[in-house]
Amino acid sequence: MKKENIVTRKWGDRRKGKTDWARVDALTDEDIAEAVANDPDAVPIDIDWSDAVLIVPPKKKAISIRVDEDVLDFFKREGEGYQRRINAVLRSYMQQKSKPKKRA
């Protein structure tokens, strides 16, 4: 790495952004609506939230667990959220084992 590419800053120093906040503040609701209407990537959101149900995820408990290295590597290769996916696999196993057994 070249030394000229390294930037050091003191703790608490703030970088000035490139956003023109005065221009943003000057926009009217009509200006914003027109910009959205002319934006090909803007998709109208028409969602009925009246039947929405809030689901609070169960509280997680931090533990230490030993798993085979290849198992951990497999989940990590899938990207961020590997711990959540491992938890989902364990939950699925738990639910399958908790089902009442069918009699033949």
Side-chain angles (χ1 to χ4, degrees):
M1 185 180 331
K2 293 183 179 179
K3 200 167 192 167
E4 69 249 14
N5 293 336
I6 298 174
V7 177
T8 57
R9 289 187 168 62
K10 293 180 187 170
W11 178 255
D13 283 354
R14 295 198 174 248
R15 293 178 20 190
K16 182 161 174 43
K18 297 178 183 177
T19 303
D20 183 355
W21 290 110
R23 183 171 167 252
V24 172
D25 288 339
L27 289 173
T28 64
D29 289 344
E30 292 78 23
D31 293 334
I32 294 169
E34 182 181 344
V36 170
N38 293 330
D39 185 349
D41 294 328
V43 179
I45 300 174
D46 188 18
I47 300 173
D48 178 13
W49 293 98
S50 63
D51 293 331
V53 176
L54 176 63
I55 298 176
V56 179
K59 186 176 179 180
K60 305 282 193 236
K61 181 169 183 156
I63 64 166
S64 175
I65 184 173
R66 294 178 184 271
V67 295
D68 294 334
E69 190 172 355
D70 60 330
V71 171
L72 183 60
D73 290 343
F74 171 81
F75 280 95
K76 282 187 169 185
R77 269 195 310 272
E78 297 292 311
E80 287 188 25
Y82 71 93
Q83 292 172 323
R84 185 173 47 243
R85 285 190 298 280
I86 292 171
N87 188 72
V89 169
L90 293 171
R91 176 170 296 285
S92 176
Y93 178 82
M94 177 190 74
Q95 289 170 342
Q96 293 299 316
K97 291 301 235 179
S98 298
K99 284 184 178 177
K101 298 190 191 256
K102 294 182 181 178
R103 297 185 183 236

